[in-house]
Amino acid sequence: MRRTFVHPLLAALALAGMSAPALAADNGFYVGGSVGQANIEADLGNVADFDEDETAFKVFAGVRPLDLLAFEVAYVDFGSPSRSIGPVTANAEVKGAAAFGMLYLPLPLPVVDLFGKVGFARLDTRIDSGSFRLDETDTDLAWGVGGQLNFDSFAIRAEYERFQTDSGDPDMISVGFTWTFL
């Protein structure tokens, strides 16, 4: 009896060991989306400073030609936070496009990826507060760090991103997914 129990157990362990590399991230083209929390900071001149958190999202597409290298483009929407400043309400909107080069850290675990990314973002910033109006479009540095857990072509991703603009430096922490297709 014991012998028949050991063989199926060994077979299951062997199959699990052989399937682990199949969980590694696929190289190729991918698409994805994330949702998270953004922080928008802006200098409203002599009136006040704007510093509010809001739910944000992004959609992105990229290509990972090598295990350690990827290129990604994204549309980012930091939401529409508002803040009362005395008798008036300040409303903000920050959104735009970004392009990143990404480097992946080589890890012995094929199901986990850690990455850093750097690139440029073109963000439209609009803030209205009574008689004060800010309407800027900036192209500047953007960077981020993150990690993902891979399940064949599907991955769950968490990341932090920071964007620079002339009116403030919005940032975002998000959780999302990617789907890789070859």
Side-chain angles (χ1 to χ4, degrees):
M1 281 285 180
R2 183 176 175 124
R3 186 173 183 203
T4 59
F5 176 72
V6 172
H7 284 291
L9 181 60
L10 289 176
L13 288 174
L15 286 173
M18 290 186 306
S19 66
L23 294 175
D26 287 336
N27 292 354
F29 294 98
Y30 62 90
V31 295
S34 296
V35 65
Q37 184 170 4
N39 178 263
I40 297 175
E41 296 178 9
D43 181 11
L44 301 181
N46 295 330
V47 179
D49 288 333
F50 187 91
D51 185 357
E52 292 297 316
D53 295 334
E54 182 71 19
T55 301
F57 74 92
K58 71 175 185 170
V59 292
F60 52 91
V63 61
R64 188 171 177 181
L66 305 171
D67 288 343
L68 301 178
L69 179 69
F71 302 96
E72 187 172 288
V73 294
Y75 171 79
V76 183
D77 188 327
F78 291 91
S80 301
S82 61
R83 176 179 179 210
S84 293
I85 301 173
V88 297
T89 300
N91 300 303
E93 284 186 8
V94 180
K95 52 186 149 187
F100 295 100
M102 301 173 64
L103 288 177
Y104 287 83
L105 183 65
L107 295 175
L109 299 170
V111 297
V112 177
D113 282 326
L114 297 178
F115 59 85
K117 61 189 194 176
V118 66
F120 292 93
R122 183 169 178 85
L123 298 179
D124 295 324
T125 303
R126 291 183 181 89
I127 300 177
D128 292 316
S129 175
S131 63
F132 180 85
R133 175 164 282 149
L134 173 72
D135 192 357
E136 288 185 347
T137 300
D138 297 307
T139 302
D140 217 326
L141 181 70
W143 61 272
V145 294
Q148 62 187 28
L149 189 58
N150 303 303
F151 304 96
D152 286 327
S153 295
F154 180 78
I156 298 171
R157 176 190 279 199
E159 61 188 315
Y160 171 80
E161 295 168 297
R162 182 121 180 140
F163 302 81
Q164 293 180 350
T165 69
D166 290 341
S167 56
D169 297 337
D171 62 359
M172 182 168 123
I173 187 164
S174 64
V175 176
F177 71 93
T178 65
W179 181 259
T180 303
F181 50 96
L182 301 176

